[in-house]
């Protein structure tokens, strides 16, 4: 017997050390999928997760304005990019466990839990891959300041399940699909094969996280008889501060089940009609 999933989620959220957090996350994901082999529906349980997850003392969290700019042409600049990615991955680990715990009172098909446990496991792996790249550059997670605003979307949508799906996977993680190819280019030019390989794993797996968001968002729209596009626009305008920024990776967004009429109307630019 494993612990109820919502309790496992809270354990990860309450672990402060980044390496311990990601290791526990991977172990619980393995436990979950092992339990799923023997039991069609292991216990989800109920949980009351903290509003903010436990985090290590370092990195220092600064407002985005105060995070020093990165110059990708230098090794320090590239280490800063990887440090920012590690921070995003660690936040993503918490975000995926948080959606499981926070909305554990809403009955959902078992596939919902499988998807977010898998996503949390992958984010934990991503954190490890990027940490290994940082180590090779003589750095580590915590060596530089990081973005303080990253948990804001979670707090803003703590009471709104559909808002959480709209803003976290379908806006923030979709944004990752837009910017990752440019990052891969920077490391390819610098001949950092290890970082290229890590970012390519991240890029290919992130498509699925956006797709899980879109899938479960549409499921809830169906349950509540809402028009998906309309409610998506309402929720993003309510919870996401500012317009979405093109260029959009239309190719990968399409693969993830995000059609152009979902995101273009939320940008302040007019799409190029092809
Ligand atoms: Fe990731
Ligand atoms: Fe992700």
């Amino acid at each position: 017997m494993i612990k109820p999933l919502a309790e496992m989620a809270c354990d990860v959220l309450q672990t402060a050390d980044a390496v311990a957090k990601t290791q526990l996350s991977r172990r619980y994901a393995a436990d979950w999928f092992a339990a799923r082999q023997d039991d069609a529906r292991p216990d989800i349980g109920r949980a009351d997760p903290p509003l903010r997850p436990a985090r290590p003392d370092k990195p220092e969290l600064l407002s985005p304005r105060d995070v020093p700019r990165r110059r990708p042409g230098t090794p320090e600049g590239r280490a800063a990019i990887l440090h920012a990615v590690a921070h995003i991955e660690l936040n993503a680990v918490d975000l995926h466990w948080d959606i499981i715990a926070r909305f554990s009172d809403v009955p959902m098909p078992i596939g919902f839990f499988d998807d977010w446990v898998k996503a949390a496991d992958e984010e934990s792996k991503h954190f490890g891959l990027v940490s290994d790249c940082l180590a090779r550059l003589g750095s580590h997670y915590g060596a530089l300041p990081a973005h303080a605003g990253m948990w804001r979307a979670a707090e803003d949508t703590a009471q709104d399940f559909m808002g959480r799906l709209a803003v976290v996977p379908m806006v923030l993680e979709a944004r990752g699909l837009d910017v990752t190819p440019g990052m891969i280019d920077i490391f390819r030019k610098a001949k950092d094969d290890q970082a290229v390989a890590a970012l390519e794993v991240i890029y290919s797996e992130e498509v699925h996280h956006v797709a899980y968001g879109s899938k479960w968002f549409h499921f809830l729209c169906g349950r509540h008889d809402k028009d998906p596009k309309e409610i998506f626009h309402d929720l993003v305008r309510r919870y996401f501060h500012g317009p979405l920024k093109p260029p959009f990776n239309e190719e990968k967004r399409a693969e993830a089940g995000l059609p152009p009429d979902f995101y273009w109307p939320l940008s302040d630019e007019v799409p190029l009609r092809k």
Side-chain angles (χ1 to χ4, degrees), residues 168-191:
V168 173
M170 297 171 79
V171 169
L172 299 179
E173 294 199 276
R175 171 89 182 138
L177 302 178
D178 303 335
V179 301
T180 306
M183 246 185 251
I184 293 174
D185 274 352
I186 289 171
F187 288 92
R188 190 168 282 131
K189 282 197 189 104
K191 302 199 170 16

Side-chain angles (χ1 to χ4, degrees), residues 92 96 123 173 206 209:
H96 297 328
E123 310 295 12
E173 294 199 276
E206 288 303 329
H209 306 172

Side-chain angles (χ1 to χ4, degrees), residues 139-254:
S139 187
H140 62 274
Y141 179 66
L144 298 171
H147 203 302
M150 215 142 300
W151 197 254
R152 181 167 176 190
E155 286 184 41
D156 289 349
T157 58
Q159 309 294 333
D160 190 332
F161 193 12
M162 291 181 71
R164 173 66 65 90
L165 287 165
V167 172
V168 173
M170 297 171 79
V171 169
L172 299 179
E173 294 199 276
R175 171 89 182 138
L177 302 178
D178 303 335
V179 301
T180 306
M183 246 185 251
I184 293 174
D185 274 352
I186 289 171
F187 288 92
R188 190 168 282 131
K189 282 197 189 104
K191 302 199 170 16
D192 184 338
D193 295 341
Q194 187 186 3
V196 169
L199 291 169
E200 277 175 346
V201 169
I202 291 173
Y203 187 47
S204 72
E205 293 182 343
E206 288 303 329
V207 179
H208 304 294
H209 306 172
V210 180
Y212 301 155
S214 177
K215 183 206 310 186
W216 295 111
F217 181 80
H218 280 84
F219 173 86
L220 289 172
C221 289
R223 177 182 273 177
H224 300 296
D225 198 18
K226 302 228 192 253
D227 177 65
K229 185 175 73 176
E230 227 169 81
I231 185 97
F232 179 75
H233 291 163
D234 286 353
L235 291 169
V236 176
R237 287 194 179 108
R238 188 173 325 154
Y239 295 119
F240 186 77
H241 310 276
L244 306 191
K245 285 198 199 90
F248 300 114
N249 187 338
E250 295 207 342
E251 197 81 27
K252 290 287 168 188
R253 283 169 173 258

